Amino acid sequence: MKKFLNEFKEFALRGNLIDLSLGVLIGGAFTALVSSFTETIIKPILNVFGNPADGLGWVIPLPNGSEGLQIGAFISAIINFLIMAFVIFIIMKSINRLSSLGHKEEEVVEEVKGPTSEELLTEIRDLLKEK
């Protein structure tokens, strides 16, 4: 049991886990921000096309008399997703661009190959023959 707790401690105190936790917290706060933007700005604009009393007013009634399909709420969720995906795309693109600035492409330098051992021995033999 002690070994298990030590392994968990190592895992929990690793930098990656802390970074991931911070990312989740910031993501949650950002999600709340985007949801608020959708509810307070986008939804009123879309209400022009629907009944403001029913949210977006786009509800498909069901025959059994239940609440119905809330198409307006689904559209709001799609808008939230698209905004989040766009912002994450922009952030990742910026991070990739910044990380590529620090890494210059290494020049490929071809080694100049000298003569092989056999070629050198042949050359030495020929020089010795001449003497």
Side-chain angles (χ1 to χ4, degrees):
M1 184 69 168
K2 188 174 183 176
K3 182 180 176 184
F4 176 77
L5 291 176
N6 285 336
E7 287 178 7
F8 178 73
K9 181 180 174 184
E10 281 182 39
F11 172 75
L13 295 179
R14 234 185 285 165
N16 293 343
L17 184 63
I18 293 170
D19 293 343
L20 180 63
S21 301
L22 288 173
V24 168
L25 290 173
I26 291 171
F30 186 69
T31 300
L33 180 69
V34 170
S35 295
S36 174
F37 173 75
T38 304
E39 291 293 319
T40 59
I41 294 175
I42 302 294
K43 218 173 184 184
I45 292 171
L46 293 177
N47 280 342
V48 171
F49 303 105
N51 183 0
D54 295 333
L56 285 178
W58 299 334
V59 178
I60 298 175
L62 296 175
N64 63 1
S66 66
E67 188 175 319
L69 301 176
Q70 303 288 328
I71 301 298
F74 182 68
I75 291 173
S76 290
I78 290 173
I79 292 170
N80 281 347
F81 171 76
L82 291 175
I83 292 170
M84 292 289 290
F86 180 73
V87 170
I88 290 172
F89 172 74
I90 296 298
I91 290 171
M92 292 306 295
K93 208 166 165 63
S94 300
I95 289 171
N96 287 338
R97 187 169 10 111
L98 289 175
S99 67
S100 69
L101 291 177
H103 299 279
K104 294 181 182 176
E105 291 185 22
E106 296 179 11
E107 294 181 23
V108 178
V109 179
E110 289 188 29
E111 293 182 22
V112 178
K113 295 185 178 182
T116 64
S117 298
E118 292 175 359
E119 292 171 340
L120 287 174
L121 289 173
T122 305
E123 189 177 329
I124 292 171
R125 183 196 65 196
D126 293 342
L127 288 172
L128 289 173
K129 277 185 183 179
E130 289 177 8
K131 288 186 179 182

